Amino acid sequence: MNASLRHVMVVLLGCFVLLFVQLNRIQVLQADELAANGFNTRQARRDFGLPRATILSSDGIVIAMSEPTGAAEGFQNRRLYPFADLYAHSVGYVSFGRNSDGVELTYSEEILGRTAPRLTELADLIDQTPDPGTVVLTLDHGLQQTAKEALGDRTGSVVAMDPQTGAILALYSFPSFDPNPLADTNIGSANAAFSELLEADGNPLRARAYRDIKFPGSTFKVITAAAGLEHNLVTIEEPVFPETDSYTPPLTTAAIRNFDGGPCGGDLAQLLVRSCNTAFAELAAETLGPEIMVNQAEAAGFNNVPPFDLPGSVASVFPALDTFGAQLQEPNEIRPAGLYENTPKLAQASIGQNDVAATPLQMALMIAGVANDGVIPIPHVLAEVRDVEGDVIDTFDVGDGWRQSMEPENAANLAAALIEADEVGGAASVDGLEIGVKTGTAQLGTDPPRTHAWIVGFAGRPGEDPQIAVAVLVEGQEGSADQTGGGVAGPIARDLFIEFFDSAEG
Amino acid sequence: MQARNLELSLLVLGTVITVVAYGLLSVADGAEVRAQIVIFFVIILLLLLGAHVVVRNTAPNADGLLLPLAALLNGLGYVMIARIDIPKETDLAVSQSAWTFIGVGAFSATLLLIPDLKKFANYRYSLGLLGVGLLMTPLIPGLGVNINGAQIWLRAGPFSIQPGEFAKIVLAAFLAGYLVEKRELLALSNRRLGPLNFPDLKHFGPLLLALVIALLVMVTQRDLGSSLLFFTLFLVMIYIATGRTAYVATGLSLFMVGSFVSWRLFSHVQTRVTQWFSPFDIGPGEQIAEASFALADGGITGRGLGEGTPQRIPFAETDMIFAAVGEELGLLGATVVLAAFMFFVSSGFRVAATVNAPFEKLLAAGLTALIGFQAFIIIGGVLRVLPLTGVTLPYMSYGGSSLISNYIILALLIRISDSTPVADKQPALVDSTS
């Protein structure tokens, strides 16, 4: 029997060797794959309870922090957002079992302290949990609060930035939401809160400022004007467009009228001041043509996703060249733009209607370019990352900006025209500041009529470079003569300028 | 005496390892457990010393590895159970320590009360009936209880036992006795069936009958693991007794057919097979998936005692305890467990090879096979080598019946190991069978 005994023993030991092989497969070979499995919550649970870096505004206000829960098992820390909905669309949130958003997502490694140099102390050899330091943002708390107060409970967005560096000074959309329940360590409560937000009216989770595109309306005329200047087809002073109260593009009978139904004309500077639809439409349809318009829009960032350091930002849209149809007539003396199948579409697009749609962020970038010698900066909310000792370990590299939208000379001329526009129109004027604006009232074509009220602008002290560029959108206003971009959005921009320069002084 | 001294030093080493592990656990958990460490150490040491003294007196020539290996596995299992108790806020470790005491008590009692196993061969048929009877008792309405889908428990008041755990020992003894008597007949072939030779049915009969009854009982009780184990035991013992691979071949074929048929017929079998093939399609928290996640999380060195989340694995203290070990003690810790079982199996088979008396030889082989294959079946299920079946990991899993019956098996192995005269430690020079 001993021979058979030996056989059985060998088989049984062989079975154990098989187990050993499989154990190696699972624990070593497949380890990474298993860790990434969607049902595996171990790493997620570990990460969720880690202490996270405190997030500060540029003026040192704590806008996100981690607080120990004191629990023996389970999550050791929870995330708190002291200002609730004020920073929801910028700082974002962490929530167990779902993707984070905002700064919490983009800079999650920095926030978890994983980018800091390790092993600063011998104790770090034993306790490998990184000590998160601080993340400082470019957002100015005072300005952010002003934005929220000024917008009130009207659906819309406010974006304010430094036109030279792209640092975002304020970023707020309404409706917003309180991210604190989402970060709850009680997962059931967090999930309930999330479901509630998904079903809430007005889609509060949506960061309209950089994820929603809307008709820009007359604010787009800055780009149309820039297109003319860049290609030397117009100057600030010539030609002078005739006073007319309507313009009918070729190939259509639908006339384009000015906002108040009255006549409008003048040189480019005056056209911007008075915001003439007729002249700009004519300029684009007859002189500029689709290719130049597409190029200028894209030079300003349209059809590109801005290199924004918050996740999920979307590209603003200007119709592609082929949507304007085939060329029907070559450019000639009478119509330098040439004639295209969809020239009427181009006329509409030039005044920010038809298929043109932009995020408030994009419009802020556009106007920042005007204020910054034509250079559109890289928008960012991160200022710097500090380690637990307070030493700066990373700052945002602004580089040479995002793109050159136009020549500095053209930018300067446009800026001057917009400054005059504000002096004349008074949409956002403040004593002692040099402010340039372009208002916009985008027709939504609904019945009863509704419009998006826009204003884009910049401000600086006389003789100095502008230090702040803004875009304000108040959506879906009841259409009536008073509800223009200037009337509704202008005061918000004005409040921002006052707050910015007040706090700069005080 | 060498064996006893080896045994003593290994027992002390095993105790130290267990206590150190327990200490690491309390470091991770906070200081509250620390004061109990010294008491813990002393109690375990005294318990194992007591067992050792019993062995010195009743089986002084027995193998010296078996008891320390069982004690080490028991200790590691205890520490893991204590660790899982913390987040789950249960007191299973307390119960397990009680079962350990009773188990070592049963171990000592078996050694003290049974000086000689030879007589048991005479009662083989009674043992067979007893074994089948024990298996069937959970089917008695009122006494039997269905827990987790398996009707294998008896409950009387606050106590529940699994008679099946003890039935296995009794049935192994029956098989050993029967096969010793009939083995020459079974090794002969009187009938041909194709290329294979078979003995007369009358010799095979009672054996097959007992097997079929036992298997039927287990399948209707939905205890797939035990039925697999018992079938393996039967095959192993008949192969060792006769040396005829024909039995193994037939047995495996019958097993294939039986498995397929039961898969078609029984939904609970289908569930197990589906879970085996696609454990990650089921959903979060499913045992097999969580076990794999836990093991992968452990990596080579493990998360560290108290640093992982083994409580997330369903049945972490019982069937899946190997995954908990793998998570916190890593590949290294899990390999130690595998190695312990491999050493146990080697020692057990060495005992079987060394002893001359055929009944004891077969019984030792059968008992070793029980421990070894049971460990293989459950670890195989945890590692997805086999479908998961509900058997315990010997000496490690939480469970009184399992622990006590395994200590009795240990005692029997040591008893058999001692019955070899010192002078005759060599295997027989002349084998009566090939």
Side-chain angles (χ1 to χ4, degrees):
Chain A
M1 284 196 277
N2 279 359
S4 341
L5 261 174
R6 260 197 304 281
H7 298 157
V8 173
M9 183 178 83
V10 167
V11 166
L12 186 48
L13 290 179
C15 288
F16 277 94
V17 171
L18 178 65
L19 291 180
F20 179 69
V21 169
Q22 176 69 352
L23 189 64
N24 271 277
R25 281 184 73 220
I26 294 179
Q27 291 197 294
V28 181
L29 294 176
Q30 296 174 352
D32 288 336
E33 188 190 316
L34 286 165
N37 186 296
F39 290 124
N40 190 350
T41 61
R42 284 155 191 280
Q43 188 61 38
R45 282 178 178 269
R46 265 193 296 275
D47 280 355
F48 192 67
L50 289 173
R52 287 177 155 77
T54 303
I55 302 182
L56 296 178
S57 68
S58 63
D59 40 349
I61 307 291
V62 174
I63 55 186
M65 53 192 270
S66 279
E67 187 181 71
T69 57
E73 286 268 341
F75 304 120
Q76 307 284 299
N77 294 279
R78 81 153 277 171
R79 201 60 163 153
L80 282 179
Y81 303 101
F83 294 97
D85 62 333
L86 185 60
Y87 291 97
H89 293 130
S90 48
V91 167
Y93 55 84
V94 288
S95 189
F96 185 77
R98 56 181 59 90
N99 289 333
S100 318
D101 202 2
V103 169
E104 297 273 33
L105 177 59
T106 308
Y107 295 107
S108 59
E109 292 292 290
E110 287 83 350
I111 288 171
L112 286 170
R114 290 180 180 156
T115 55
R118 306 277 289 279
L119 293 183
T120 50
E121 305 177 338
L122 203 57
D124 290 338
L125 273 175
I126 300 168
D127 176 17
Q128 303 237 319
T129 317
D131 269 322
T134 318
V135 171
V136 184
L137 301 182
T138 57
L139 296 167
D140 181 296
H141 186 63
L143 209 59
Q144 185 83 3
Q145 282 178 315
T146 304
K148 176 179 172 181
E149 266 172 52
L151 186 60
D153 56 5
R154 298 174 288 184
T155 302
S157 305
V158 176
V159 179
M161 69 169 74
D162 179 333
Q164 284 154 39
T165 63
I168 301 286
L169 303 168
L171 182 78
Y172 179 75
S173 302
F174 185 88
S176 185
F177 62 96
D178 181 0
N180 283 300
L182 298 182
D184 202 330
T185 49
N186 179 324
I187 299 173
S189 310
N191 287 338
F194 192 76
S195 301
E196 233 180 272
L197 284 174
L198 280 177
E199 289 160 22
D201 282 339
N203 206 345
L205 285 169
R206 192 167 193 78
R208 300 176 136 71
Y210 53 98
R211 292 184 184 159
D212 247 3
I213 52 176
K214 305 286 178 194
F215 295 135
S218 302
T219 54
F220 193 82
K221 290 169 184 165
V222 179
I223 294 179
T224 310
L229 291 172
E230 280 288 289
H231 292 86
N232 298 313
L233 294 168
V234 295
T235 71
I236 281 290
E237 290 153 358
E238 290 181 342
V240 175
F241 286 79
E243 296 279 326
T244 174
D245 55 9
S246 82
Y247 163 72
T248 306
L251 305 178
T252 182
T253 53
I256 293 177
R257 297 184 194 284
N258 296 308
F259 183 69
D260 55 2
C264 192
D267 66 18
L268 194 62
Q270 288 169 340
L271 295 178
L272 284 169
V273 171
R274 298 166 69 185
S275 197
C276 293
N277 291 343
T278 53
F280 278 107
E282 186 183 335
L283 174 64
E286 310 282 346
T287 308
L288 300 179
E291 197 174 328
I292 288 177
M293 283 300 296
V294 170
N295 286 344
Q296 191 60 36
E298 292 185 352
F302 277 71
N303 298 334
N304 288 280
V305 176
F308 195 27
D309 63 352
L310 290 183
S313 60
V314 301
S316 301
V317 175
F318 190 84
L321 192 55
D322 55 15
T323 61
F324 295 105
Q327 190 180 54
L328 299 176
Q329 274 178 27
E330 293 275 317
N332 53 37
E333 286 272 318
I334 307 169
R335 190 177 285 125
L339 183 66
Y340 290 79
E341 284 176 326
N342 282 329
T343 293
K345 181 187 177 78
L346 184 63
Q348 295 265 335
S350 71
I351 57 172
Q353 301 282 158
N354 195 269
D355 287 333
V356 181
T359 61
L361 176 68
Q362 170 64 66
M363 297 315 286
L365 287 168
M366 184 274 292
I367 204 68
V370 172
N372 190 30
D373 294 330
V375 176
I376 296 182
I378 298 176
H380 58 278
V381 294
L382 178 75
E384 61 188 21
V385 179
R386 299 183 193 148
D387 67 10
V388 66
E389 316 264 311
D391 297 325
V392 176
I393 55 176
D394 199 12
T395 52
F396 190 88
D397 179 13
V398 301
D400 295 327
W402 182 23
R403 54 216 296 125
Q404 181 100 30
S405 60
M406 62 188 84
E407 294 295 315
E409 190 189 326
N410 294 328
N413 284 332
L414 277 175
L418 294 179
I419 291 173
E420 197 191 325
D422 187 53
E423 283 169 8
V424 168
S429 51
V430 177
D431 285 338
L433 294 177
E434 209 167 55
I435 296 177
V437 299
K438 180 73 196 77
T439 60
T441 307
Q443 309 292 322
L444 297 181
T446 54
D447 186 21
R450 296 173 77 87
T451 57
H452 290 324
W454 284 89
I455 193 167
V456 296
F458 53 87
R461 295 206 184 80
E464 290 178 8
D465 285 334
Q467 291 178 8
I468 178 171
V470 307
V472 178
L473 164 64
V474 185
E475 293 180 29
Q477 293 298 291
E478 301 282 333
S480 86
D482 288 327
Q483 302 295 336
T484 63
V488 172
I492 299 176
R494 187 167 178 275
D495 284 348
L496 290 170
F497 295 144
I498 292 173
E499 170 67 29
F500 180 76
F501 286 97
D502 264 354
S503 56
E505 285 160 22
Chain B
M1 278 305 138
Q2 270 184 322
R4 298 279 70 72
N5 292 336
L6 175 68
E7 185 180 78
L8 182 59
S9 40
L10 287 177
L11 278 175
V12 172
L13 178 63
T15 309
V16 168
I17 293 175
T18 303
V19 171
V20 166
Y22 193 72
L24 284 173
L25 177 62
S26 33
V27 165
D29 184 46
E32 51 172 86
V33 200
R34 210 166 282 164
Q36 306 167 14
I37 279 279
V38 177
I39 307 173
F40 183 65
F41 176 70
V42 168
I43 291 179
I44 300 181
L45 200 57
L46 287 178
L47 180 69
L48 292 176
L49 281 179
H52 174 72
V53 164
V54 170
V55 176
R56 264 192 200 262
N57 285 328
T58 60
N61 298 314
D63 178 275
L65 282 183
L66 290 169
L67 177 59
L69 284 169
L72 176 66
L73 288 168
N74 195 350
L76 280 180
Y78 174 81
V79 172
M80 282 317 298
I81 293 169
R83 185 264 173 275
I84 298 170
D85 266 348
I86 299 169
K88 278 189 164 183
E89 293 179 350
T90 48
D91 279 320
L92 295 178
V94 176
S95 309
Q96 184 77 344
S97 53
W99 295 129
T100 305
F101 268 87
I102 300 176
V104 174
F107 167 85
S108 309
T110 309
L111 280 176
L112 288 166
L113 297 175
I114 308 178
D116 190 348
L117 287 171
K118 288 193 181 40
K119 296 174 296 185
F120 282 92
N122 300 329
Y123 298 100
R124 54 189 175 279
Y125 292 107
S126 318
L127 286 172
L129 283 171
L130 176 63
V132 174
L134 277 174
L135 278 180
M136 292 175 81
T137 46
L139 292 173
I140 300 172
L143 216 53
V145 174
N146 186 313
I147 298 179
N148 291 326
Q151 187 93 12
I152 51 176
W153 294 85
L154 284 180
R155 180 169 287 167
F159 299 107
S160 12
I161 70 162
Q162 276 184 280
E165 295 282 348
F166 303 99
K168 284 185 298 207
I169 307 176
V170 170
L171 286 170
F174 156 70
L175 280 173
Y178 184 84
L179 287 169
V180 162
E181 184 198 348
K182 301 285 183 188
R183 80 168 196 264
E184 282 170 29
L185 291 167
L186 290 172
L188 290 178
S189 332
N190 291 335
R191 301 186 179 286
R192 289 191 74 90
L193 190 73
L196 297 167
N197 302 307
F198 287 92
D200 277 332
L201 204 60
K202 61 178 180 186
H203 299 308
F204 219 171
L207 200 58
L208 267 180
L209 190 62
L211 172 70
V212 164
I213 293 176
L215 287 175
L216 212 60
V217 159
M218 287 188 211
V219 169
T220 56
Q221 291 174 323
R222 301 186 166 208
D223 188 1
L224 300 178
S226 293
S227 77
L228 176 63
L229 183 62
F230 188 62
F231 186 81
T232 309
L233 177 71
F234 170 70
L235 268 189
V236 160
M237 290 184 78
I238 202 170
Y239 173 67
I240 294 176
T242 63
R244 301 298 306 270
T245 47
Y247 289 114
V248 178
T250 325
L252 285 177
S253 319
L254 281 175
F255 175 71
M256 305 279 192
V257 171
S259 306
F260 183 72
V261 166
S262 61
W263 177 68
R264 292 297 289 248
L265 285 181
F266 300 116
S267 62
H268 65 275
V269 177
Q270 284 161 3
T271 317
R272 292 282 186 184
V273 174
T274 314
Q275 283 177 341
W276 179 35
F277 284 130
S278 335
F280 302 111
D281 293 349
I282 308 294
E286 196 273 314
Q287 306 181 49
I288 302 174
E290 272 299 328
S292 289
F293 294 149
L295 286 164
D297 210 38
I300 296 182
T301 53
R303 280 274 137 207
L305 271 173
E307 299 293 324
T309 51
Q311 67 274 16
R312 289 186 54 75
I313 311 167
F315 304 107
E317 303 98 334
T318 55
D319 302 346
M320 310 298 282
I321 197 165
F322 188 76
V325 170
E327 176 180 2
E328 299 209 321
L329 300 178
L331 178 62
L332 298 176
T335 306
V336 164
V337 172
L338 285 180
F341 278 109
M342 287 173 83
F343 275 112
F344 192 96
V345 162
S346 308
S347 299
F349 277 116
R350 191 182 42 213
V351 167
T354 315
V355 77
N356 283 325
F359 173 70
E360 276 96 326
K361 187 187 282 284
L362 258 182
L363 182 58
L367 293 174
T368 308
L370 272 179
I371 300 278
F373 278 106
Q374 183 166 339
F376 172 68
I377 288 171
I378 184 57
I379 298 178
V382 169
L383 297 181
R384 296 182 277 130
V385 168
L386 300 172
L388 184 65
T389 53
V391 292
T392 55
L393 187 58
Y395 303 110
M396 291 195 81
S397 287
Y398 171 77
S401 312
S402 163
L403 200 54
I404 295 172
S405 66
N406 288 329
Y407 268 114
I408 294 176
I409 291 178
L410 183 69
L412 292 173
L413 281 172
I414 287 184
R415 165 59 57 216
I416 296 172
S417 175
D418 183 59
S419 51
T420 313
V422 176
D424 201 7
K425 276 286 188 187
Q426 316 281 339
L429 290 171
V430 177
D431 255 289
S432 52
T433 59
S434 59

mmCIF file of all heavy atoms in Angstrom, chain A residues 425-444:
data_model
loop_
_atom_site.group_PDB
_atom_site.id
_atom_site.type_symbol
_atom_site.label_atom_id
_atom_site.label_comp_id
_atom_site.label_asym_id
_atom_site.label_seq_id
_atom_site.Cartn_x
_atom_site.Cartn_y
_atom_site.Cartn_z
ATOM 1 N N GLY A 425 -22.564 104.597 -22.810
ATOM 2 C CA GLY A 425 -23.717 103.795 -22.395
ATOM 3 C C GLY A 425 -23.865 103.725 -20.890
ATOM 4 O O GLY A 425 -24.959 103.547 -20.365
ATOM 5 N N GLY A 426 -22.756 103.843 -20.166
ATOM 6 C CA GLY A 426 -22.826 103.832 -18.710
ATOM 7 C C GLY A 426 -23.274 102.503 -18.135
ATOM 8 O O GLY A 426 -23.795 102.448 -17.027
ATOM 9 N N ALA A 427 -23.085 101.408 -18.856
ATOM 10 C CA ALA A 427 -23.594 100.137 -18.347
ATOM 11 C C ALA A 427 -22.916 99.737 -17.058
ATOM 12 O O ALA A 427 -23.526 99.168 -16.158
ATOM 13 C CB ALA A 427 -23.385 99.034 -19.407
ATOM 14 N N ALA A 428 -21.603 100.029 -16.993
ATOM 15 C CA ALA A 428 -20.899 99.569 -15.797
ATOM 16 C C ALA A 428 -19.886 100.601 -15.335
ATOM 17 O O ALA A 428 -18.851 100.262 -14.812
ATOM 18 C CB ALA A 428 -20.189 98.245 -16.101
ATOM 19 N N SER A 429 -20.170 101.844 -15.543
ATOM 20 C CA SER A 429 -19.131 102.840 -15.278
ATOM 21 C C SER A 429 -18.959 103.096 -13.789
ATOM 22 O O SER A 429 -19.904 103.030 -12.994
ATOM 23 C CB SER A 429 -19.448 104.142 -16.006
ATOM 24 O OG SER A 429 -20.764 104.537 -15.729
ATOM 25 N N VAL A 430 -17.715 103.345 -13.423
ATOM 26 C CA VAL A 430 -17.345 103.623 -12.038
ATOM 27 C C VAL A 430 -16.389 104.811 -12.063
ATOM 28 O O VAL A 430 -15.437 104.813 -12.842
ATOM 29 C CB VAL A 430 -16.641 102.400 -11.394
ATOM 30 C CG1 VAL A 430 -16.187 102.731 -9.978
ATOM 31 C CG2 VAL A 430 -17.543 101.189 -11.409
ATOM 32 N N ASP A 431 -16.627 105.766 -11.211
ATOM 33 C CA ASP A 431 -15.720 106.919 -11.164
ATOM 34 C C ASP A 431 -14.320 106.474 -10.835
ATOM 35 O O ASP A 431 -14.105 105.652 -9.934
ATOM 36 C CB ASP A 431 -16.181 107.916 -10.091
ATOM 37 C CG ASP A 431 -17.396 108.692 -10.580
ATOM 38 O OD1 ASP A 431 -17.586 108.755 -11.815
ATOM 39 O OD2 ASP A 431 -18.130 109.208 -9.729
ATOM 40 N N GLY A 432 -13.381 107.051 -11.527
ATOM 41 C CA GLY A 432 -11.993 106.777 -11.211
ATOM 42 C C GLY A 432 -11.442 105.534 -11.887
ATOM 43 O O GLY A 432 -10.267 105.213 -11.726
ATOM 44 N N LEU A 433 -12.266 104.821 -12.621
ATOM 45 C CA LEU A 433 -11.769 103.633 -13.315
ATOM 46 C C LEU A 433 -12.017 103.765 -14.804
ATOM 47 O O LEU A 433 -13.002 104.363 -15.235
ATOM 48 C CB LEU A 433 -12.475 102.363 -12.818
ATOM 49 C CG LEU A 433 -12.228 101.945 -11.381
ATOM 50 C CD1 LEU A 433 -13.059 100.706 -11.056
ATOM 51 C CD2 LEU A 433 -10.745 101.679 -11.136
ATOM 52 N N GLU A 434 -11.121 103.160 -15.548
ATOM 53 C CA GLU A 434 -11.288 103.124 -16.993
ATOM 54 C C GLU A 434 -11.890 101.774 -17.326
ATOM 55 O O GLU A 434 -11.252 100.739 -17.115
ATOM 56 C CB GLU A 434 -9.917 103.279 -17.661
ATOM 57 C CG GLU A 434 -9.969 103.933 -19.018
ATOM 58 C CD GLU A 434 -8.583 104.340 -19.469
ATOM 59 O OE1 GLU A 434 -7.693 103.450 -19.503
ATOM 60 O OE2 GLU A 434 -8.369 105.532 -19.743
ATOM 61 N N ILE A 435 -13.132 101.796 -17.820
ATOM 62 C CA ILE A 435 -13.857 100.532 -18.005
ATOM 63 C C ILE A 435 -14.312 100.408 -19.443
ATOM 64 O O ILE A 435 -14.887 101.335 -20.004
ATOM 65 C CB ILE A 435 -15.078 100.483 -17.064
ATOM 66 C CG1 ILE A 435 -14.609 100.488 -15.602
ATOM 67 C CG2 ILE A 435 -15.933 99.251 -17.361
ATOM 68 C CD1 ILE A 435 -15.725 100.525 -14.599
ATOM 69 N N GLY A 436 -14.056 99.268 -20.044
ATOM 70 C CA GLY A 436 -14.536 99.002 -21.400
ATOM 71 C C GLY A 436 -15.522 97.850 -21.357
ATOM 72 O O GLY A 436 -15.289 96.851 -20.693
ATOM 73 N N VAL A 437 -16.657 97.994 -22.049
ATOM 74 C CA VAL A 437 -17.645 96.917 -22.033
ATOM 75 C C VAL A 437 -18.250 96.726 -23.403
ATOM 76 O O VAL A 437 -18.267 97.627 -24.239
ATOM 77 C CB VAL A 437 -18.808 97.179 -21.045
ATOM 78 C CG1 VAL A 437 -18.319 97.309 -19.619
ATOM 79 C CG2 VAL A 437 -19.614 98.388 -21.479
ATOM 80 N N LYS A 438 -18.775 95.529 -23.592
ATOM 81 C CA LYS A 438 -19.679 95.280 -24.707
ATOM 82 C C LYS A 438 -20.877 94.540 -24.124
ATOM 83 O O LYS A 438 -20.736 93.479 -23.493
ATOM 84 C CB LYS A 438 -19.011 94.415 -25.782
ATOM 85 C CG LYS A 438 -19.933 94.143 -26.951
ATOM 86 C CD LYS A 438 -20.094 95.392 -27.804
ATOM 87 C CE LYS A 438 -21.273 95.286 -28.735
ATOM 88 N NZ LYS A 438 -22.575 95.511 -28.047
ATOM 89 N N THR A 439 -22.048 95.133 -24.303
ATOM 90 C CA THR A 439 -23.251 94.471 -23.817
ATOM 91 C C THR A 439 -23.784 93.543 -24.911
ATOM 92 O O THR A 439 -23.399 93.663 -26.077
ATOM 93 C CB THR A 439 -24.343 95.493 -23.472
ATOM 94 O OG1 THR A 439 -24.648 96.225 -24.674
ATOM 95 C CG2 THR A 439 -23.872 96.442 -22.401
ATOM 96 N N GLY A 440 -24.685 92.657 -24.500
ATOM 97 C CA GLY A 440 -25.283 91.755 -25.482
ATOM 98 C C GLY A 440 -26.665 91.346 -25.029
ATOM 99 O O GLY A 440 -26.885 91.125 -23.831
ATOM 100 N N THR A 441 -27.577 91.290 -25.959
ATOM 101 C CA THR A 441 -28.912 90.799 -25.635
ATOM 102 C C THR A 441 -29.251 89.758 -26.685
ATOM 103 O O THR A 441 -29.616 90.096 -27.803
ATOM 104 C CB THR A 441 -29.925 91.962 -25.658
ATOM 105 O OG1 THR A 441 -29.445 93.004 -24.822
ATOM 106 C CG2 THR A 441 -31.275 91.499 -25.172
ATOM 107 N N ALA A 442 -29.090 88.524 -26.321
ATOM 108 C CA ALA A 442 -29.250 87.440 -27.297
ATOM 109 C C ALA A 442 -30.707 87.033 -27.368
ATOM 110 O O ALA A 442 -31.315 86.656 -26.363
ATOM 111 C CB ALA A 442 -28.386 86.257 -26.889
ATOM 112 N N GLN A 443 -31.276 87.125 -28.560
ATOM 113 C CA GLN A 443 -32.678 86.765 -28.738
ATOM 114 C C GLN A 443 -32.824 85.253 -28.689
ATOM 115 O O GLN A 443 -32.107 84.545 -29.377
ATOM 116 C CB GLN A 443 -33.175 87.252 -30.103
ATOM 117 C CG GLN A 443 -32.882 88.703 -30.388
ATOM 118 C CD GLN A 443 -33.690 89.616 -29.481
ATOM 119 O OE1 GLN A 443 -34.841 89.336 -29.199
ATOM 120 N NE2 GLN A 443 -33.071 90.692 -29.031
ATOM 121 N N LEU A 444 -33.773 84.787 -27.915
ATOM 122 C CA LEU A 444 -33.978 83.346 -27.861
ATOM 123 C C LEU A 444 -35.060 82.897 -28.828
ATOM 124 O O LEU A 444 -35.292 81.710 -28.995
ATOM 125 C CB LEU A 444 -34.336 82.917 -26.433
ATOM 126 C CG LEU A 444 -33.212 83.185 -25.436
ATOM 127 C CD1 LEU A 444 -33.600 82.714 -24.054
ATOM 128 C CD2 LEU A 444 -31.943 82.487 -25.888
#
